[in-house]
Amino acid sequence: MCLGIPGQIVAITDAGRLMAMAEVSGVRREVNVACVAEGPLEALLGRWVLIHVGFAMSLIDEEEAAKTLAALHDLGEAQEALAQMAEGDAALEGRG
């Protein structure tokens, strides 16, 4: 089973590589937006996407994002995924 986590695109980090910063429940992570880029990357700012293994796989609306996050939190899966993301970020920054 694949788990897609909703995240909001908050910045474009490398337009040439189609990379953006996404925020998931307060945790920020760089993701590849090649699958959802349909024009200028700046048009993705503020948009919600489903993220799987570092890729924004599809665009979703804010309501769907909220419902999905709530369901994942209820199942406990999101907490584990967010903890892994935070650990990865800490390791990259030399804090891990």
Side-chain angles (χ1 to χ4, degrees):
M1 176 171 89
C2 296
L3 177 64
I5 305 259
Q8 187 174 32
I9 302 297
V10 295
I12 304 303
T13 56
D14 186 339
R17 292 180 37 235
L18 298 174
M19 300 299 288
M21 187 65 62
E23 185 169 316
V24 179
S25 297
V27 176
R28 289 183 174 212
R29 179 174 189 164
E30 193 172 43
V31 298
N32 184 292
V33 294
C35 296
V36 296
E38 299 174 344
L41 294 183
E42 291 75 21
L44 293 174
L45 293 174
R47 299 287 306 270
W48 286 89
V49 295
L50 274 180
I51 301 167
H52 178 64
V53 295
F55 289 86
M57 301 302 290
S58 62
L59 293 169
I60 59 174
D61 62 36
E62 187 172 3
E63 181 180 351
E64 183 178 350
K67 287 179 181 178
T68 303
L69 281 171
L72 291 172
H73 281 284
D74 289 346
L75 295 172
E77 293 178 13
Q79 291 302 321
E80 180 181 323
L82 290 172
Q84 290 173 351
M85 287 171 61
E87 288 173 12
D89 289 347
L92 289 174
E93 294 173 5
R95 298 180 295 174

